Amino acid sequence: QVQLVESGGGLVQAGGSLRLSCAASGRTSSAYAMGWFRQAPGKEREFVTAISWSGAATYYADSVKGRFTISRDNAKNTVYLQMNTLKPEDTAVYYCAAAPRAGLPTREEWYDYWGQGTQVTVSS
């Protein structure tokens, strides 16, 4: 079992930045790809970005490419999401997730563990 706890959400003005963190505990010795998803009010949860176990490979949804950066520190069992140039349409609950697989999983069903989510609100 892996437990994930997100932090760093909040209210920010359009054009601003936030950094989300996702701390993992439990069976963290296994190799997990990590991802971030988000769910806006009235919408389905959508993929944002993923990072491989080593951190060498990353993948982004087109909507955030060039603005968001995912990174990880395996020594600290923590994954980060740096969000710059935020837009009102980035407003959502952001979830981190862990997938016990290689590569860069982009589908929800490939992830076994999920955090509780952290709210990000971008005002115009």
Side-chain angles (χ1 to χ4, degrees):
Q1 289 287 334
V2 175
Q3 294 77 45
L4 303 173
V5 178
E6 303 96 336
S7 61
L11 173 64
V12 64
Q13 288 188 332
S17 298
L18 280 176
R19 189 175 84 152
L20 305 183
S21 299
C22 174
S25 60
R27 206 177 75 177
T28 56
S29 59
S30 299
Y32 292 94
M34 298 294 294
W36 286 95
F37 290 75
R38 67 186 181 184
Q39 187 168 22
K43 295 186 177 181
E44 294 186 351
R45 189 156 57 184
E46 65 175 1
F47 170 80
V48 175
T49 180
I51 188 168
S52 61
W53 160 246
S54 68
T58 58
Y59 184 75
Y60 297 90
D62 288 343
S63 59
V64 306
K65 200 173 297 182
R67 300 188 297 121
F68 290 12
T69 302
I70 188 172
S71 61
R72 67 190 298 165
D73 184 338
N74 287 341
K76 296 182 178 179
N77 294 321
T78 301
V79 177
Y80 305 97
L81 181 63
Q82 178 66 44
M83 305 185 294
N84 298 329
T85 319
L86 282 160
K87 304 175 182 179
E89 51 264 45
D90 294 319
T91 295
V93 177
Y94 283 71
Y95 300 88
C96 74
R101 58 170 57 223
L104 297 168
T106 60
R107 300 172 66 90
E108 286 190 47
E109 54 264 38
W110 293 343
Y111 287 84
D112 287 359
Y113 305 104
W114 292 82
Q116 83 289 349
T118 185
Q119 176 70 47
V120 171
T121 303
V122 184
S123 64
S124 57

